[in-house]
């Protein structure tokens, strides 16, 4: 997830672009850049780090900027392809430095296109997928940037929000959308295009939301919208009723809720371009260089902390059941103290959203010291763990701002499912099984949208239970790690006592605590262990427990044992935790928000734990 902004109009573009970048900084902040058309040509500048670093490099009162500019684009980056560096920062341009563009999304077929364009003599300077679009436009340019863009877009695969200008057509700013958001703000004096309304709302509340496969051709305050068949599309402006603060959160009261609701998109981004359905295979580009070593390993050790470790525990079940590879999960903070028995046929896989968690990094160093292959599932490109591991897979979910991890968790579990298919297909998994898992993975975003519709129902359940001080979370098999995750979510943002247990463990001690004041959240989809979970629920009911059950849509019978029921759509058993996580996140969120907690920044916690 990156932030893009473009302006064309009567006012000076630069201050509007810089202000827009600051408002979009929450979407990504590893590097930034701006390009404006001036009387003396295009002025472009880029910097690594936050927007303030870019600002330091701009002197608005000296030429060429002193003459002002009525056209420009800017970008704040969240790296996906290529490390955070000046050369990889946007805007990118063609060989002649005339066509400039900023991009949010991932161009899936950039390698094929790049190879083709290099053969034709184009010179690439960055490692990004984005630069290919600038050279493609240069290659196809027919004197009209709008027509050329429509032709180029027909050749692109993947997701994009693009803002583009050509120095030879300075009365035109173009925007194009497919998969990544873009909104156009209409003011008296000009037009602003941005990734979201937070960059626009200071100037206007009149906006037009671009839909997928639409191109906007903007000149001052006139605009035309085309589809990819070059037909014009009529669009109505909408009036935003949010204030500036709410706009960064897309109207949500907290980043956590926004991130929970972002999951259908973030999960789709994690899967994008990685599934070859017809072959029942996955393509994890970051693991290409170690594919043969991965084929040879006989054991996998997963090390991670907190939520990332819970995802790892789900991965353990997936990999052992479907890939037949012995897997164990460690607390990263314990990995080097317990003297694990490791040999060269073992690989270490670490999972970390931030890529900076000190304990996880220490586990990587320990494993490297022992000569092990080290792999990572990391969200932040270029982070310490991404650099320290031999190879890895990025989540591609954009920044996670709320301390409580939500969209990273579902993405981590989904990537572990992809890894399961990769490991499985290298071993004994059939094409049919590989294809089945992949197909079910691709269906998850839509199913997540269904779950989000239950948010208000979950809020009412949270209200009902808001006076209780203790909660138990139970799950079995794939959903046992989810019991830990559900409890962690509740405790970290509500400060209530919550504990996760394997359902079968209750009768070995914890059930002694249970009475009418200790509600139980039971994760019980209709899977291979449902009957056992149902018996556990009855045992708890007999002890006066109040039960909130999460189960598969259509399961009416569970109402005989549960006080409250939240339904999730059916999916493959190994993928149920990805869906069941969402009601748990929503329950924790609503309960904490109702109690007036500082949901996004809970006390005593930090987003990135860089001390051991
Ligand atoms: O950045 P990491 O994924 O390495 O962080 C690991 C944990 O600190 C993190 O998941 C933590 O448990 C979350 N706050 C839980 O919501």
């Amino acid at each position: 997830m990156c932030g893009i902004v473009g302006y064309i109009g009567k006012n000076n573009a630069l201050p509007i672009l810089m202000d827009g970048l600051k408002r979009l900084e929450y979407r990504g902040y590893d590097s930034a850049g701006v390009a404006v058309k001036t009387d003396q040509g295009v002025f472009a500048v880029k910097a690594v780090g936050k927007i303030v670093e870019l600002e330091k490099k701009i002197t608005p009162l000296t030429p060429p900027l002193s003459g002002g500019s009525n056209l420009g684009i800017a970008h704040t980056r969240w790296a996906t392809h290529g490390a955070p560096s000046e050369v990889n920062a946007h805007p990118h341009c063609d060989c002649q430095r005339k066509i400039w563009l900023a991009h949010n999304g991932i161009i899936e077929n950039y390698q094929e296109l790049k190879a083709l364009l290099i053969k034709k003599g184009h010179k690439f300077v960055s490692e990004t997928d984005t630069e290919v679009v600038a050279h493609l436009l240069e290659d196809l340019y027919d004197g009209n940037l709008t027509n050329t863009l429509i032709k180029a877009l027909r050749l692109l695969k993947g997701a994009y929000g693009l803002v583009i200008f050509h120095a030879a057509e300075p009365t035109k700013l173009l925007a194009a959308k497919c998969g990544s958001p873009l909104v156009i703000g209409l003011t008296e004096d000009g037009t602003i295009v941005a990734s979201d309304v937070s960059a626009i709302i200071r100037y206007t509340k009149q906006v037009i939301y671009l839909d997928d496969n639409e191109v906007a051709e903007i000149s001052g305050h006139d605009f035309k919208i085309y589809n990819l068949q070059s037909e014009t599309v009529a669009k109505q402006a909408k009036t935003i009723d949010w204030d500036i603060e709410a706009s960064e959160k897309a109207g949500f009261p907290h980043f956590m809720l926004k991130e929970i609701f972002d999951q259908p998109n973030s999960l789709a981004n994690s899967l994008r371009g990685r599934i070859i359905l017809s072959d029942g295979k996955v393509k994890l580009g970051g693991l290409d260089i170690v594919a043969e070593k991965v084929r040879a390993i006989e054991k996998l050790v997963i090390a991670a902390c907190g939520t990332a470790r819970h995802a790892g525990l789900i991965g353990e079940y997936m990999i052992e059941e479907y890939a037949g590879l012995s897997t164990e999960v460690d607390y990263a903070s314990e990995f080097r103290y317990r003297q694990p028995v490791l040999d060269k046929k073992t690989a270490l896989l670490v999972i970390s959203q931030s890529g900076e968690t000190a304990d996880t990094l220490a586990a990587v160093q320990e494993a490297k010291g022992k000569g092990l292959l080290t792999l990572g599932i990391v969200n932040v490109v270029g982070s310490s763990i991404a650099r320290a591991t031999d190879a890895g897979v990025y989540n591609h979910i954009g920044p996670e701002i709320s301390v409580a991890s939500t969209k990273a968790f579902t993405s981590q579990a989904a990537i572990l499912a992809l890894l399961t298919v990769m490991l499985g297909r290298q071993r004994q998994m059939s094409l049919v099984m590989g294809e089945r898992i992949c197909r079910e993975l691709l269906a998850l975003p839509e199913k997540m949208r269904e779950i989000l519709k239950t948010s208000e129902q979950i809020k009412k359940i949270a209200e009902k239970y808001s006076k209780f001080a203790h909660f138990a979370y139970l799950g079995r098999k794939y959903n046992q790690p989810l019991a830990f995750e559900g409890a962690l979510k509740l405790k970290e943002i509500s400060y209530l006592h919550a504990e996760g247990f394997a359902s079968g463990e209750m009768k070995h001690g914890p059930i002694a605590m249970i009475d009418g004041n200790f509600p139980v959240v039971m994760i019980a989809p209709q899977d291979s262990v449902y009957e056992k979970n149902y018996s556990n629920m009855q045992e708890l009911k007999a002890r006066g427990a109040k039960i909130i059950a999460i189960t598969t849509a259509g399961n009416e019978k569970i109402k005989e044992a549960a006080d409250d029921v939240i339904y999730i759509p059916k999916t493959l058993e190994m993928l149920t935790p990805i869906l069941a996580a969402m009601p748990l996140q929503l329950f924790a969120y609503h309960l904490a928000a109702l109690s007036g907690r500082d949901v996004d920044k809970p006390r005593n916690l930090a987003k990135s734990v860089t001390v051991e």
Side-chain angles (χ1 to χ4, degrees):
M1 192 164 83
C2 304
I4 57 182
V5 51
Y7 175 79
I8 186 163
K10 291 186 190 149
N11 293 321
N12 190 6
L14 191 63
I16 296 171
L17 296 174
M18 293 306 291
D19 176 66
L21 281 189
K22 284 184 201 155
R23 308 255 170 223
L24 294 174
E25 197 167 30
Y26 78 92
R27 296 176 64 87
Y29 34 74
D30 59 43
S31 52
V34 61
V36 288
K37 168 81 182 72
T38 73
D39 292 344
Q40 296 168 48
V42 176
F43 169 83
V45 60
K46 304 175 184 188
V48 173
K50 298 204 166 190
I51 311 299
V52 287
E53 301 306 321
L54 181 67
E55 250 176 344
K56 285 181 200 160
K57 291 181 134 184
I58 298 174
T59 325
L61 297 178
T62 50
L65 294 175
S66 50
S69 161
N70 305 121
L71 170 64
I73 58 176
H75 187 272
T76 174
R77 183 167 185 246
W78 176 262
T80 58
H81 293 75
S85 66
E86 269 187 40
V87 83
N88 287 334
H90 303 213
H92 288 286
C93 64
D94 63 333
C95 299
Q96 296 180 58
R97 300 179 65 79
K98 287 197 168 151
I99 300 172
W100 290 82
L101 56 89
H103 167 225
N104 172 27
I106 298 171
I107 307 297
E108 284 171 23
N109 58 338
Y110 83 101
Q111 275 163 324
E112 294 107 273
L113 291 171
K114 188 171 174 176
L116 230 115
L117 289 161
I118 288 174
K119 267 196 198 150
K120 288 180 148 192
H122 290 265
K123 299 263 177 295
F124 283 74
V125 294
S126 76
E127 303 160 272
T128 63
D129 52 331
T130 301
E131 195 186 346
V132 83
V133 185
H135 293 281
L136 184 62
L137 288 171
E138 179 179 36
D139 208 66
L140 299 174
Y141 189 60
D142 61 5
N144 179 329
L145 190 61
T146 316
N147 295 341
T148 308
L149 177 61
I150 292 174
K151 272 189 240 159
L153 295 179
R154 293 185 197 138
L155 302 175
L156 298 185
K157 284 192 194 142
Y160 51 79
L162 285 162
V163 286
I164 311 167
F165 72 83
H166 193 312
E169 299 184 55
T171 55
K172 207 189 249 185
L173 173 70
L174 296 186
K177 173 186 181 309
C178 181
S180 304
L182 266 192
V183 58
I184 302 172
L186 309 169
T187 79
E188 290 278 295
D189 299 327
T191 303
I192 309 165
V193 187
S195 298
D196 70 45
V197 289
S198 52
I200 290 174
I201 205 160
R202 202 181 130 192
Y203 307 96
T204 180
K205 294 202 165 186
Q206 289 299 106
V207 300
I208 290 179
Y209 289 95
L210 269 193
D211 286 312
D212 280 353
N213 301 314
E214 287 181 347
V215 172
E217 179 191 72
I218 305 157
S219 16
H221 56 266
D222 284 338
F223 65 89
K224 278 190 191 138
I225 296 178
Y226 298 95
N227 60 24
L228 295 192
Q229 288 71 49
S230 302
E231 298 156 340
T232 47
V233 179
K235 307 264 308 190
Q236 291 285 321
K238 294 205 162 92
T239 308
I240 306 165
D241 54 5
W242 310 330
D243 56 18
I244 284 191
E245 210 220 326
S247 68
E248 278 190 357
K249 297 176 191 143
F252 290 99
H254 296 99
F255 278 110
M256 181 177 174
L257 193 59
K258 175 174 183 277
E259 286 162 4
I260 292 172
F261 272 76
D262 193 28
Q263 288 176 107
N265 291 325
S266 57
L267 197 93
N269 284 338
S270 296
L271 301 178
R272 195 181 303 286
R274 289 173 163 169
I275 288 178
I276 311 162
L277 204 53
S278 53
D279 293 349
K281 280 193 174 159
V282 301
K283 191 173 99 193
L284 298 173
L287 298 184
D288 279 353
I289 47 162
V290 293
E292 286 318 305
K293 287 187 182 168
V294 170
R295 190 188 294 274
I297 57 173
E298 290 177 2
K299 183 176 168 185
L300 187 68
V301 176
I302 299 177
C305 299
T307 288
R309 182 177 155 275
H310 297 152
L313 288 166
I314 298 167
E316 179 183 21
Y317 279 83
M318 291 176 176
I319 294 166
E320 293 207 321
E321 179 171 359
Y322 287 95
L325 177 67
S326 165
T327 305
E328 63 184 55
V329 182
D330 248 314
Y331 289 100
S333 55
E334 286 294 320
F335 183 73
R336 60 184 161 158
Y337 300 117
R338 82 173 176 89
Q339 297 300 333
V341 180
L342 306 163
D343 63 28
K344 297 277 162 54
K345 293 204 165 145
T346 303
L348 176 78
L349 169 69
V350 291
I351 307 171
S352 174
Q353 186 285 130
S354 63
E356 299 298 343
T357 301
D359 287 320
T360 312
L361 188 57
V364 175
Q365 278 147 0
E366 178 73 12
K368 283 183 105 169
K370 294 197 160 129
L372 264 60
L373 174 68
T374 57
L375 309 172
I377 297 175
V378 175
N379 189 33
V380 181
V381 174
S383 57
S384 305
I385 294 172
R387 282 181 279 120
T389 42
D390 296 312
V393 187
Y394 284 119
N395 293 92
H396 292 329
I397 56 163
E400 190 180 62
I401 310 263
S402 176
V403 164
S405 188
T406 53
K407 63 177 181 173
F409 176 74
T410 46
S411 164
Q412 287 157 351
I415 287 176
L416 284 159
L418 292 176
L419 187 64
T420 302
V421 176
M422 178 183 163
L423 293 166
R425 297 287 281 128
Q426 284 181 335
R427 292 168 175 77
Q428 88 286 15
M429 185 188 287
S430 67
L431 183 153
V432 175
M433 181 50 76
E435 199 235 308
R436 183 156 176 231
I437 297 172
C438 290
R439 194 179 292 285
E440 291 286 345
L441 273 165
L442 290 171
L444 287 179
E446 212 37 59
K447 294 180 181 180
M448 289 176 137
R449 283 193 186 95
E450 285 302 306
I451 297 171
L452 292 173
K453 291 182 191 157
T454 63
S455 180
E456 280 308 304
Q457 180 215 344
I458 296 173
K459 186 175 177 185
K460 288 202 180 89
I461 298 174
E463 266 169 52
K464 181 172 161 189
Y465 290 88
S466 60
K467 296 287 172 279
F468 290 91
H470 308 276
F471 289 83
Y473 284 71
L474 306 191
R476 197 181 274 267
K477 201 175 172 186
Y478 280 102
N479 289 296
Q480 180 235 351
L482 203 54
F484 306 143
E485 174 58 11
L488 176 63
K489 248 5 21 126
L490 187 66
K491 59 186 130 184
E492 73 177 324
I493 59 169
S494 71
Y495 318 149
L496 294 171
H497 170 225
E499 275 192 77
F501 301 100
S503 306
E505 274 298 297
M506 286 306 275
K507 55 186 162 303
H508 299 289
I511 201 165
M513 299 185 293
I514 299 298
D515 61 16
N517 294 316
F518 208 134
V520 177
V521 180
M522 186 84 201
I523 308 148
Q526 285 179 306
D527 57 11
S528 64
V529 292
Y530 175 72
E531 295 305 332
K532 295 218 173 350
N533 276 330
Y534 192 76
S535 302
N536 296 142
M537 282 172 66
Q538 283 171 324
E539 287 155 18
L540 292 161
K541 194 87 210 143
R543 273 112 190 138
K546 294 193 167 48
I547 299 176
I548 305 163
I550 296 169
T551 191
T552 312
N555 179 4
E556 291 297 318
K557 188 170 184 298
I558 204 167
K559 290 182 178 161
E560 289 168 21
D563 297 83
D564 293 279
V565 181
I566 304 166
Y567 290 107
I568 58 167
K570 188 163 180 50
T571 183
L572 208 59
E573 179 172 87
M574 67 180 265
L575 303 179
T576 50
I578 299 177
L579 296 182
M582 296 176 75
L584 299 179
Q585 297 165 351
L586 285 165
F587 181 69
Y589 170 78
H590 286 305
L591 219 151
L594 285 165
S595 325
R597 298 294 188 221
D598 189 352
V599 174
D600 287 333
K601 293 194 182 99
R603 70 184 182 200
N604 308 337
L605 294 178
K607 184 65 186 160
S608 168
V609 186
T610 52
V611 288
E612 284 185 54

